Amino acid sequence: MKKRMTIVLLVMFVSLGASAQEKAKKWYDTIKFSGYGMLQYQGQDQEDHESNTFNLRLARFILDGKIGDFDWRAQIQGTNLKGPAEPTVQLVDLYAEWRKYPEFKVRVGQFKRCFTFENPTHPITQGWRAYADVINNLSGFGDRTGEKSSGGRDIGIQVSGDVLPNASGRKLLHYQIGVYNGEGVNKKDADNKKDIIGGLWVMPIQGVRIGAFGWTGTHGSMNMTLLDGRTATLESVRNNRYCLSAEYDKDEFTFRTEYLHSQGLGKSEAYGDKADGWYVFGIVPVIKSKLHAKARYQTYRVAKEWSSAKTSYECGLNYFFTKNLELHAEYARVNDKTIASDNHSYNMFTAELDFRF
């Protein structure tokens, strides 16, 4: 009897140990390491600012995982876009998101601001030499306020969800709203005032999104260049922004347009207190899963006046060696009225090799 009981207890112990190991194994199995690199050549013939250079546009290393009903991400970025004299490696994403219910998700940490369709788009999938100028300047990349380039990110908390399913179960409405420091990546709140950003879009048919976004908040401790050349430090600068967006993305056809407007001082007094801009582009398959053609028109007005407008007309091709290796090539004709010269127009050529792992 004792021998039988011993065998039963031993079997139970081994089973419990195996179960624990299985659970541990499953937890570790959720961790995924990935990343990508973007290698670029760019040349331009802007008068007195000609350039012809290879560039390491971007490298990112990513850890993703899952713990219960939470997904988490940690992402590190390296880039030399601003030159070797500035720090080139930084933490860009570090967040956890409760995802038990698709109608109500909660994200906490450092992540993309919930503003515009283009901001959260993967830089390779976005398909161009860079995000649109208006996105870069009014969505927290190299912002007009002088905020450190943040890739459109900030530290805070966000709730989001997809609701109103149709007869087939596809959700027709998406909402998202977040509260952020308002200072960009890896920075505490400088003025103890928070940014509130929200977005809402409808998806009436498969592949179509039509949305609007709003942003109100402040940027702390901004250095502004005055008209006389002196520098003034402003403890808190208010930003009010909105965006109107529309997109079709299905079967390798992508069309997107957005208009952004900003009210609030920038890093130069010459900018005034308003700025706006827009873009429209199309990417279409020439050979499915192999070759895409693209065209983009964009304008950014740093002072919301045509005398401050930078306009680009762009076209190009994206070639896919495999799904993880692609080559982008594009030509741009740029007209920049902020250039201190009688010749405001110049040409730019970009070639970019992108890979994922």
Side-chain angles (χ1 to χ4, degrees):
M1 183 70 179
K2 289 183 179 180
K3 185 175 180 181
R4 185 179 299 173
M5 183 63 69
T6 301
I7 293 173
V8 170
L9 290 173
L10 182 61
V11 171
M12 290 176 62
F13 177 77
V14 170
S15 299
L16 288 172
S19 177
Q21 288 181 357
E22 181 69 19
K23 288 182 180 179
K25 183 179 179 182
K26 286 183 178 179
W27 185 86
Y28 287 113
D29 280 347
T30 67
I31 299 177
K32 177 185 176 183
F33 174 71
S34 62
Y36 55 92
M38 307 178 77
L39 312 175
Q40 193 178 77
Y41 165 82
Q42 196 165 75
Q44 66 177 38
D45 62 359
Q46 181 182 340
E47 187 176 324
D48 298 325
H49 290 86
E50 294 85 355
S51 66
N52 176 6
T53 183
F54 293 104
N55 176 51
L56 305 178
R57 178 182 169 187
L58 199 63
R60 285 187 179 158
F61 304 94
I62 308 163
L63 283 176
D64 289 299
K66 187 176 180 64
I67 303 174
D69 294 323
F70 286 82
D71 287 359
W72 60 267
R73 165 169 285 198
Q75 182 173 200
I76 294 176
Q77 170 181 291
T79 179
N80 72 344
L81 268 181
K82 291 197 172 184
E86 296 187 23
T88 59
V89 178
Q90 63 180 349
L91 180 68
V92 288
D93 282 317
L94 183 63
Y95 64 82
E97 184 172 55
W98 184 63
R99 299 177 60 87
K100 186 173 182 178
Y101 303 106
E103 298 83 7
F104 184 79
K105 296 175 285 187
V106 183
R107 180 177 293 190
V108 181
Q110 181 166 281
F111 48 88
K112 287 278 192 177
R113 291 171 165 118
C114 53
F115 192 66
T116 79
F117 284 165
E118 180 148 314
N119 177 22
T121 306
H122 192 292
I124 295 180
T125 306
Q126 191 264 346
W128 294 90
R129 60 181 170 83
Y131 292 92
D133 291 335
V134 67
I135 299 296
N136 284 326
N137 285 279
L138 300 183
S139 191
F141 285 74
D143 204 274
R144 79 188 296 268
T145 61
E147 175 188 297
K148 177 184 177 182
S149 181
S150 304
R153 294 168 170 83
D154 206 342
I155 304 173
I157 182 170
Q158 171 188 291
V159 296
S160 65
D162 296 294
V163 295
L164 302 182
N166 63 10
S168 65
R170 186 175 62 83
K171 305 294 177 62
L172 301 177
L173 179 69
H174 175 89
Y175 73 90
Q176 52 190 35
I177 185 167
V179 180
Y180 308 87
N181 281 342
E183 309 298 334
V185 295
N186 307 318
K187 291 189 69 176
K188 294 182 178 180
D189 199 329
D191 60 4
N192 295 319
K193 299 175 182 177
K194 298 296 181 283
D195 285 13
I196 300 175
I197 305 175
L200 190 73
W201 63 78
V202 295
M203 299 167 280
I205 60 176
Q206 189 74 39
V208 172
R209 295 191 295 169
I210 302 171
F213 302 82
W215 176 348
T216 184
T218 60
H219 181 71
S221 189
M222 187 182 81
N223 294 321
M224 184 170 72
T225 302
L226 303 178
L227 293 177
D228 60 9
R230 293 180 299 124
T231 300
T233 300
L234 306 181
E235 292 185 1
S236 185
V237 179
R238 175 154 291 281
N239 289 316
N240 292 307
R241 296 175 178 176
Y242 68 83
C243 173
L244 304 175
S245 311
E247 178 187 75
Y248 175 80
D249 187 5
K250 186 180 178 184
D251 298 330
E252 300 185 29
F253 288 85
T254 303
F255 301 93
R256 184 161 64 245
T257 183
E258 297 191 281
Y259 171 80
L260 282 74
H261 183 276
S262 174
Q263 183 172 21
L265 295 174
K267 62 183 178 180
S268 172
E269 188 178 8
Y271 291 174
D273 69 344
K274 291 182 181 179
D276 72 347
W278 53 89
Y279 71 88
V280 58
F281 77 70
I283 301 177
V284 300
V286 178
I287 303 174
K288 192 171 182 179
S289 302
K290 203 68 178 176
L291 181 66
H292 290 172
K294 58 185 181 180
R296 178 170 70 174
Y297 160 73
Q298 59 169 321
T299 293
Y300 173 62
R301 303 191 297 180
V302 69
K304 203 185 175 183
E305 297 175 353
W306 283 108
S307 60
S308 71
K310 180 181 179 182
T311 299
S312 300
Y313 306 88
E314 302 160 86
C315 61
L317 297 170
N318 296 338
Y319 180 79
F320 298 82
F321 297 97
T322 70
K323 66 177 182 178
N324 291 325
L325 180 65
E326 56 194 86
L327 178 66
H328 297 179
E330 63 188 79
Y331 164 78
R333 179 66 174 175
V334 183
N335 181 271
D336 187 352
K337 296 186 182 302
T338 66
I339 295 175
S341 168
D342 292 334
N343 185 6
H344 300 296
S345 297
Y346 60 92
N347 302 293
M348 178 185 295
F349 174 77
T350 304
E352 185 174 287
L353 183 66
D354 299 333
F355 62 89
R356 315 182 197 217
F357 55 87

